[in-house]
Amino acid sequence: MNKKLQSWKAIARYFDCSERTVRRWEANEGMPVHRHSHIRGARIAAYQHELDIWFESKSSKSNELVSLNKSTYKVAILPFELRDAATEQSYIRDALCEDIISDLASLQSFTVISYSSMKYLPTDDEKRKATIEQMNLNFFIEGSIRLDKEQITLKLRLINATTHSVQWSKSYSETRSSYEALRERSTADIVSCLAISDVEGEFLSQSHNRIFNQSAWEYLHQARQESMRWQPESIKKALELLHCAQHLVGKNGIILANLGRTYLQLREAGIDCSLTPLNKVETILEQLKVDKANEYYTFMLSGWFEYACGKTIKAIESLKLAVYKHNNDPDVLGLLSNCYLISGHARLALPLIRRLQIIDPLTPVSRCLPGWYHIILGEFDAAVVHYERMFEMDTQNDIAKMFLAWVYALNNRYDKQKVLSLQMQNECAPSLAIMLARVFCTEPDQSGRQINLSQEQIETAKTNEMFARFLAFAYAHIGDSDEAILWLNSAVKLGFCAFPFVTRHAPFFKDNIEYQPLKLVLKEMKLQWDRIGEHAGKM
């Protein structure tokens, strides 16, 4: 439907931004607005279809950093088969896969599917084959790895995804102390096989990001594997391993950046909600900005740190620089998308979300981001399928349960809520996410219902924008307006400023929109929303 918008206010509402922004877009950036002469002045009108085409063009120009290159090969690396090796050594297999992917993704001629997505491939052969076909690859790489006491053997095959013929294959043998050499040789051979030219300089530019101390390399990748478990003991173990690696090689930028990211996980997981992790990350960033200021990992860590501090504009600036340096990192693309979404500027997130569907199509976070996009725009029914897919990928994930219960509540799907509630009824010591999911599984405004938070859960939510936001929604859902407004204020301080969503689309605060304490919070929210919109328009 080509809807006609007949005022600046209507156009601003359509884009979820201020009238000043759309007037500037029309004056300076060619936004299509029609003026019709009238006795009392000129009336304006704009057509939704024309605005969509213009905005897509604007987004593609400003987001060339996340677009595909015309000469791109789209490739994926399937997890290597691990032969005759103990399970605890699987991190070496994962590390080599990730390192080769990182090298290929750093080249302009490649778009590479993330390794995190490839680990979600179905185990059933037919489903696996169908999933790979849906990715529309040019090539995929499969192989096996054998780890002996002193030797590592890697066998690779490059498969044409259209014909399923073997384009190239090779076997490598290296001593266990030469993983970096194995990485460089195999990546160079893959590139040479595809006759990619002008890449020598690009490879050389990446060489200073290598870790040639073998023990430090192993510590780094073991730490990454531990941190991905998101358990208190595993995160602490990851920090120990990274400190060991740092002791061996000194102030290596890659290790420092990973150390900083792991310190932030202490707060994100609610393990240490004090200022200590933030102070440690701040110290690390000061070191990185001395002689690694323009490195990808410095921008990446800066973005995560600023997001954790609620400094959304600064986070967006740093993350955009990180994406410019390396546009194949799904974690950074996902965080930048989320920054735009929590700030109420969904359409700026759209090119990033589309890019994620290309390079990271199978992970739960990438699956749910289109749903989050629809919710911010008030399209609640369109969001359901995305959160259901996320939940289906990991039915034991507490966050996925919370998201799904919330989106069912937004859509008044009481039938679905009851089914989900039954699946959670045997949780003896529920996490904060499960407690919130249970609240959203009840019908709204149930008088007398309470949310009994532990002190630990309160401290976690005070430092976590997502949990503060969901607590605000949950308290509003059960009719406790004052507590809901307190938590909404906390979420705003941590970066949540999706003003159009809260005031126009979400059902949680509609009955209290004139309540003075809420009006004060909304005033601050709108200031932040306007500020980010103006800033994004200038970038």
Side-chain angles (χ1 to χ4, degrees):
M1 184 178 73
N2 193 15
K3 184 178 179 181
K4 187 178 182 181
L5 306 173
Q6 295 182 282
S7 68
W8 291 112
K9 184 176 181 180
I11 298 170
R13 285 175 67 91
Y14 181 67
F15 282 116
D16 277 347
C17 64
S18 67
E19 288 185 44
R20 184 166 59 176
T21 296
V22 294
R23 285 176 182 272
R24 189 182 69 251
W25 285 350
E26 191 263 346
N28 301 332
E29 301 188 40
M31 186 180 74
V33 173
H34 302 274
R35 283 178 166 78
H36 301 289
S37 297
H38 191 267
I39 295 173
R40 296 184 181 178
R43 289 183 176 177
I44 65 106
Y47 294 94
Q48 181 178 321
H49 178 65
E50 293 179 353
L51 292 177
D52 287 343
I53 292 173
W54 170 82
F55 193 84
E56 287 291 316
S57 173
K58 169 182 166 66
S59 297
S60 64
K61 289 175 183 176
S62 62
N63 286 281
E64 289 176 354
L65 61 165
V66 296
S67 63
L68 291 175
N69 299 293
K70 292 181 180 179
S71 59
T72 290
Y73 283 112
K74 191 177 180 185
V75 301
I77 296 182
L78 279 60
F80 299 150
E81 181 184 351
L82 193 60
R83 295 183 176 174
D84 300 332
T87 306
E88 61 268 19
Q89 291 185 311
S90 63
Y91 74 90
I92 296 176
R93 181 266 313 273
D94 293 341
L96 281 171
C97 286
E98 289 173 349
D99 282 353
I100 295 172
I101 286 173
S102 178
D103 281 347
L104 292 176
S106 71
L107 303 177
Q108 292 297 311
S109 298
F110 285 93
T111 291
V112 190
I113 306 299
S114 73
Y115 188 59
S116 51
S117 265
M118 298 310 292
K119 291 175 77 171
Y120 276 97
L121 280 174
T123 54
D124 177 80
D125 287 343
E126 288 300 316
K127 291 181 179 178
R128 188 183 184 91
K129 183 179 178 181
T131 302
I132 293 173
E133 288 179 353
Q134 289 170 6
M135 292 179 184
N136 296 315
L137 301 172
N138 299 110
F139 301 95
F140 62 89
I141 299 162
E142 61 183 18
S144 64
I145 185 169
R146 185 188 300 274
L147 300 170
D148 298 317
K149 288 184 178 180
E150 301 297 331
Q151 195 83 4
I152 178 171
T153 302
L154 175 65
K155 294 183 178 180
L156 296 179
R157 297 199 308 164
L158 182 70
I159 311 295
N160 185 305
T162 303
T163 64
H164 291 277
S165 59
V166 178
Q167 186 93 2
W168 162 88
S169 65
K170 191 166 183 177
S171 179
Y172 303 87
S173 291
E174 293 281 356
T175 64
R176 289 287 293 266
S177 61
S178 302
Y179 291 145
E180 286 287 11
L182 181 59
R183 162 191 183 170
E184 291 187 350
R185 285 179 58 203
S186 57
T187 305
D189 286 345
I190 293 167
V191 171
S192 297
C193 167
L194 294 173
I196 303 296
S197 60
D198 301 325
V199 298
E200 183 178 354
E202 294 180 68
F203 273 130
L204 287 174
S205 70
Q206 299 294 321
S207 63
H208 63 286
N209 289 331
R210 304 279 193 257
I211 297 175
F212 291 100
N213 182 295
Q214 187 60 32
S215 295
W217 184 92
E218 293 195 29
Y219 288 147
L220 170 65
H221 288 287
Q222 283 178 285
R224 285 178 175 172
Q225 192 170 72
E226 290 288 343
S227 67
M228 289 173 63
R229 295 191 176 103
W230 283 92
Q231 297 299 317
E233 291 306 314
S234 63
I235 292 175
K236 290 175 182 177
K237 178 66 174 176
L239 289 171
E240 291 175 9
L241 289 163
L242 289 167
H243 280 297
C244 289
Q246 186 183 18
H247 178 74
L248 291 172
V249 297
K251 295 180 180 179
N252 177 277
I254 295 174
I255 292 172
L256 283 172
N258 277 271
L259 191 59
R261 181 69 190 97
T262 309
Y263 275 126
L264 290 176
Q265 284 184 277
L266 289 174
R267 282 173 66 89
E268 292 166 23
I271 299 166
D272 184 351
C273 296
S274 71
L275 293 176
T276 301
L278 291 181
N279 292 337
K280 288 184 178 293
V281 177
E282 196 166 24
T283 300
I284 289 170
L285 282 169
E286 288 173 358
Q287 296 176 45
L288 288 174
K289 289 176 180 179
V290 172
D291 57 358
K292 304 291 183 181
N294 291 316
E295 293 293 344
Y296 156 77
Y297 47 73
T298 303
F299 295 131
M300 175 273 296
L301 182 60
S302 294
W304 279 103
F305 173 72
E306 288 147 0
Y307 168 73
C309 295
K311 299 175 182 178
T312 309
I313 289 180
K314 288 188 175 182
I316 289 171
E317 289 176 348
S318 295
L319 293 167
K320 287 189 75 170
L321 289 168
V323 171
Y324 180 78
K325 290 277 186 178
H326 183 11
N327 70 355
N328 274 283
D329 186 334
D331 290 339
V332 171
L333 288 170
L335 182 59
L336 182 52
S337 299
N338 189 57
C339 284
Y340 283 132
L341 293 170
I342 66 171
S343 62
H345 297 281
R347 296 183 193 281
L348 295 176
L350 187 57
L352 300 158
I353 293 171
R354 287 176 172 168
R355 175 68 174 169
L356 271 171
Q357 305 314 299
I358 295 171
I359 67 164
D360 192 40
L362 303 181
T363 59
V365 171
S366 292
R367 285 286 176 93
C368 81
L369 271 174
W372 188 201
Y373 166 81
H374 285 299
I375 285 174
I376 288 294
L377 293 177
E379 301 164 351
F380 299 151
D381 57 337
V384 174
V385 64
H386 299 286
Y387 285 99
E388 286 182 334
R389 287 173 181 168
M390 180 189 189
F391 176 66
E392 289 165 4
M393 294 183 72
D394 186 359
T395 57
Q396 302 304 310
N397 187 302
D398 291 354
I399 299 294
K401 292 175 185 176
M402 180 182 74
F403 285 167
L404 188 57
W406 177 58
V407 79
Y408 284 156
L410 289 171
N411 285 277
N412 299 316
R413 295 299 304 272
Y414 303 123
D415 54 333
K416 297 274 192 177
Q417 288 170 284
K418 289 177 182 178
V419 174
L420 185 60
S421 181
L422 288 173
Q423 296 179 27
M424 298 185 291
Q425 66 182 1
N426 295 324
E427 298 275 356
C428 298
S431 65
L432 177 55
I434 291 296
M435 290 176 65
L436 293 170
R438 286 176 173 174
V439 171
F440 292 124
C441 281
T442 63
E443 294 187 24
D445 300 324
Q446 287 196 349
S447 59
R449 183 168 178 82
Q450 295 181 334
I451 304 174
N452 298 311
L453 302 175
S454 68
Q455 189 59 38
E456 182 181 352
Q457 289 170 333
I458 291 172
E459 292 303 317
T460 297
K462 283 181 178 179
T463 61
N464 187 299
E465 178 274 329
M466 179 188 72
F467 279 126
R469 170 172 28 109
F470 271 85
L471 274 168
F473 297 156
Y475 276 111
H477 186 72
I478 63 174
D480 191 338
S481 300
D482 289 330
E483 199 68 23
I485 293 166
L486 286 174
W487 281 108
L488 182 63
N489 188 46
S490 294
V492 171
K493 290 179 180 178
L494 291 166
F496 178 62
C497 56
F499 181 76
F501 168 73
V502 173
T503 56
R504 300 174 195 166
H505 308 311
F508 305 111
F509 297 98
K510 284 186 175 180
D511 294 337
N512 299 292
I513 206 73
E514 295 300 322
Y515 186 40
Q516 189 60 25
L518 179 59
K519 288 175 75 173
L520 291 173
V521 176
L522 293 178
K523 182 180 179 181
E524 177 59 29
M525 180 183 282
K526 188 175 188 302
L527 283 173
Q528 291 192 33
W529 172 68
D530 281 336
R531 198 176 298 128
I532 291 173
E534 292 297 316
H535 183 78
K538 293 174 183 176
M539 290 182 70

